Amino acid sequence: MPQATNEELLARWKEEPAPLLPLLHAFHQRDGYLSEDALRFVAEGLRIPIADLFGTVTFYHHFSRDEAGLDRPRICTGPVCSMRGAEVLTASLRAAGHDPQPMPCPGRCDQPVPVIHGGTVLTGRTAGTLVSGPSPLPPPAPQGVEECVFAGIRTPGHSTLAVYRGEGGYAALTRAVTGMTADEVIDVIDRSGLAGRGGAGFPTGRKWRAVADAPGHPKTIVCNADEGEPGCFKDRLLMDHDPHGLIEGMALSAYATGSVRGFIYLRYEYPETVDILEGAIAEAEAAGLLGDGILSSDFSFDLRVRRGAGAYICGEETSLLNSLEGKHPFPRNRPPFPVTHGYENLPTVVNNVETLSSAPPILVHGADWYRGLGRGDHAGTKVISLSGDIARPGNYEVPIGLPLAELLHDWAGGPPSRRSIQAVTMAGLSGGFLAGADLDVTLDEPSIRSKGSFLGAGGIMVFDDSRDMIRVTRESMEFFAEESCGKCFPCRIGTQRLVERLEGEGPGTVEAWVDEVTDLNEVMKKTSACGLGQAAPLLTESLIRYFPERVRRHVAGRGPGHGSARKG
Ligand SMILES: Cc1cc2nc3c(=O)[nH]c(=O)nc-3n(C[C@H](O)[C@H](O)[C@H](O)COP(=O)(O)O)c2cc1C
Ligand code: SF4
């Protein structure tokens, strides 16, 4: 088939909503990189100043600007892959004649080590054994544990409309559209206690009500499927095996808030998921469950998938909105919040995949049912992505309030090779570490926040007692330093300074080193403009709290010449 011309690509996307990213992807895929000619053509076609477009394109990891770009393998250097063979795989690919480059975690910590090559994601330990495949299904829930979003996910064919509907799928949307007011739908979600599962934990019913009440049209539902947090890989599983659950949840949110358009902002690193989602959207449209006049009512909802291009900060909701709008993906200043000034400055719901996928079962079974799934006073469930030094890594839907030790040892088999657990991360990397007696927490925000951390999106990486926690912290901080968008000073400089201290620079006595790192931590926490700069110092803070002896050896063990000449 002849290749599409520049003009054909532009004509395909120019009149579509949020056209910049898909148009750039079309050129990138066609040419294997983004040439200067392509960028000039896109800048002119979409009326974007070329300097702005150049700055935006080079901000993303996966848009290549040199000719061999798309064909050059990129290997995960995240904390789990780094201890599970990233170096071996790099050497193996070099021996096979490739020029592999490092990349941040692409969300497959349960299948180390991932490589992106030519737009495909493969996993394995050597060049000759790399394979691609869908997200692994979750292990069966322990006896007596009731699930919400995973309840039907293991049924063969669940991702198809026929099987999904055969199991009662789209009953919630049908009930809402044919027999409930928008306000009644919001009321059920509100009473269920469902809170955001993307990190911040904002009550979902309150968010939906704020958008419903906000003036301005058209309103928008944005599904945050950026999942860039290292150690998190739950949203990929939900989208791969339950795409209709997400679509139904988005349609319910649209009905409840009076929204008519929606986007799934999907991270670049999930290429197979694009086809799965677009296939499911086409099925739903053909069945009258999306599009104009849904279920023969006057409710209409248009849903599109938009692919990111590799930037952790695009998971922050206002960066995401800027990215979607074709702007440079810096976080916006808040307030105003997206509920009133979101996509195109109009009222917008931004919700995580897991949050939206929880809505249909809650509508079917009721608010009390969902509340009752949690332990003690806690409402509902949370999917935890578990990886690292653990016998059975994977995604687990746990009752909120489950003891962490029960998940680690009873559900997931504990650490392999008779070692003991030295530390775990919380919220992927963003919550820093828990260790020692503080591993005795329950999986709910109050319990984990009382230890100076947070549950967030639910990524937990396990490190056994053979791991060097200075190295783990340094590699984790390197991630934040690389992903800092650079908009504000405390985060841009602070993350770099913390990396240097973990590399061996800084004051020569342990007391002075700890004082300086603590000072950096506090300034970053108080003055960074968004969650990235506020969360990164939790790593160094918890390192100092739990591993003072290792910190002492780190500072004492440096040879002459390690003191920093640089100023923080
Ligand atoms: C640096 C940063 C990265 C984030 N990444 C994600 C992400 O990948 N997915 C996500 O759902 N939320 C992410 N969030 C949280 C979003 O800003 C937002 O709170 C969330 O999408 C709202 O949906 P929820 O209420 O359903 O959780 C991130 C926040 C920050 C500060
Ligand atoms: S805290 Fe970091 S990531 Fe957030 S706006 Fe500031 S520089 Fe950007």
Side-chain angles (χ1 to χ4, degrees):
M1 215 165 68
Q3 283 195 330
T5 63
N6 288 359
E7 289 72 18
E8 283 166 347
L9 292 182
L10 181 65
R12 160 75 184 83
W13 289 107
K14 193 175 175 183
E15 302 307 326
E16 294 279 320
L20 178 63
L21 282 170
L23 184 56
L24 290 173
H25 281 303
F27 277 93
H28 197 237
Q29 202 58 43
R30 188 194 67 180
D31 301 338
Y33 76 116
L34 286 174
S35 67
E36 187 167 337
D37 283 353
L39 287 187
R40 288 194 182 284
F41 185 82
V42 170
E44 206 168 298
L46 297 185
R47 297 180 171 277
I48 301 172
I50 182 71
D52 289 0
L53 183 63
F54 188 85
T56 300
V57 162
T58 52
F59 185 84
Y60 295 105
H61 294 297
H62 293 300
F63 281 142
S64 178
R65 292 276 294 109
D66 63 87
E67 276 187 49
L70 195 62
D71 278 336
R72 190 173 295 131
R74 278 150 289 164
I75 297 184
C76 176
T77 52
V80 170
C81 291
S82 140
M83 58 190 198
R84 285 292 164 91
E87 279 176 22
V88 174
L89 179 58
T90 303
S92 166
L93 282 164
R94 283 212 180 103
H98 295 289
D99 175 22
Q101 302 295 312
M103 71 169 165
C105 174
R108 286 165 180 78
C109 313
D110 53 342
Q111 304 170 280
V113 174
V115 177
I116 295 190
H117 193 191
T120 305
V121 183
L122 307 142
T123 57
R125 306 293 172 98
T126 59
T129 58
L130 291 171
V131 289
S132 67
S135 174
L137 280 166
Q143 278 242 299
V145 172
E146 190 171 2
E147 297 172 313
C148 174
V149 289
F150 283 178
I153 209 163
R154 301 174 192 85
T155 309
H158 183 77
S159 61
T160 62
L161 180 62
V163 172
Y164 182 74
R165 282 193 108 168
E167 296 173 303
Y170 288 104
L173 183 65
T174 307
R175 185 183 302 172
V177 171
T178 58
M180 292 171 82
T181 65
D183 208 49
E184 284 167 344
V185 174
I186 295 178
D187 188 54
V188 176
I189 298 298
D190 206 20
R191 285 189 295 105
S192 74
L194 178 66
R197 300 299 187 224
F202 191 84
T204 307
R206 260 170 62 195
K207 186 179 283 189
W208 290 12
R209 198 176 302 283
V211 172
D213 290 347
H217 285 282
K219 297 179 183 180
T220 307
I221 309 296
V222 175
C223 169
N224 188 341
D226 200 51
E227 195 157 56
E229 183 74 39
C232 291
F233 42 90
K234 68 187 175 75
D235 294 339
R236 174 174 175 239
L237 167 66
L238 285 170
M239 291 183 285
D240 283 359
H241 296 288
D242 189 24
H244 285 288
L246 172 61
I247 292 168
E248 187 179 5
M250 291 189 74
L252 280 169
S253 178
Y255 178 74
T257 56
S259 301
V260 293
R261 58 187 180 177
F263 297 100
I264 301 173
Y265 186 93
L266 179 69
R267 72 178 306 197
Y268 176 85
E269 292 83 348
Y270 294 169
E272 311 91 341
T273 312
V274 179
D275 296 339
I276 293 169
L277 288 172
E278 287 184 338
I281 288 171
E283 277 186 310
E285 281 172 351
L289 298 160
L290 280 179
D292 289 336
I294 291 173
L295 293 162
S296 310
S297 72
D298 56 6
F299 164 53
S300 299
F301 181 53
D302 176 70
L303 180 57
R304 320 274 171 128
V305 179
R306 289 291 177 266
R307 269 185 102 182
Y312 170 64
I313 196 59
C314 287
E316 194 283 332
E317 58 186 6
T318 59
S319 303
L320 186 158
L321 293 170
N322 278 342
S323 174
L324 209 50
E325 289 181 18
K327 296 177 182 152
H328 192 84
F330 276 150
R332 298 176 183 173
N333 294 334
R334 301 182 306 171
F337 293 93
V339 287
T340 53
H341 295 75
Y343 180 67
E344 294 182 337
N345 238 10
L346 289 163
T348 301
V349 171
V350 182
N351 267 147
N352 173 255
V353 173
E354 184 185 347
T355 316
L356 290 160
S357 303
S358 303
I362 292 174
L363 254 284
V364 168
H365 300 294
D368 292 343
W369 167 81
Y370 186 72
R371 291 197 81 89
L373 295 181
R375 292 229 178 139
D377 291 340
H378 304 291
T381 65
K382 176 78 194 82
V383 179
I384 303 289
S385 302
L386 197 56
S387 63
D389 295 319
I390 193 80
R392 292 191 288 279
N395 284 299
Y396 295 86
E397 183 172 10
V398 306
I400 295 196
L402 182 81
L404 171 63
E406 203 174 319
L407 171 66
L408 295 176
H409 296 282
D410 302 347
W411 292 38
S417 322
R418 282 186 284 160
R419 289 203 163 271
S420 59
I421 293 177
Q422 178 177 205
V424 300
T425 63
M426 280 286 142
L429 285 181
S430 288
F433 306 109
L434 289 182
D438 285 352
L439 290 172
D440 187 18
V441 287
T442 49
L443 292 166
D444 54 81
E445 290 295 2
S447 175
I448 297 169
R449 281 185 191 268
S450 76
K451 309 294 181 198
S453 181
F454 64 105
L455 181 60
I460 297 181
M461 295 184 233
V462 181
F463 301 95
D464 72 25
D465 54 348
S466 70
R467 305 296 175 189
D468 175 4
M469 293 309 293
I470 291 277
R471 179 179 167 175
V472 172
T473 313
R474 189 193 68 233
E475 289 175 351
S476 305
M477 193 60 73
E478 280 168 356
F479 168 80
F480 286 123
E482 173 70 25
E483 296 298 327
S484 168
C485 79
K487 182 180 166 183
C488 70
F489 182 81
C491 166
R492 184 177 71 235
I493 306 296
T495 50
Q496 296 290 350
R497 292 295 171 267
L498 289 174
V499 168
E500 289 159 10
R501 268 73 194 146
L502 293 161
E503 280 171 346
E505 296 191 24
T509 67
V510 70
E511 291 77 16
W513 190 95
V514 167
D515 279 353
E516 188 181 84
V517 170
T518 303
D519 188 43
L520 284 165
N521 290 343
E522 290 307 312
V523 170
M524 286 175 67
K525 281 181 3 187
K526 287 192 185 116
T527 60
S528 294
C530 88
L532 190 158
Q534 292 156 10
L538 296 186
L539 286 167
T540 26
E541 187 181 89
S542 52
L543 174 78
I544 291 170
R545 181 164 63 240
Y546 295 120
F547 302 102
E549 175 53 24
R550 182 65 191 90
V551 169
R552 195 193 61 70
R553 280 191 285 118
H554 170 69
V555 179
R558 296 170 305 162
H562 265 103
S564 174
R566 296 180 221 187
K567 295 271 183 281

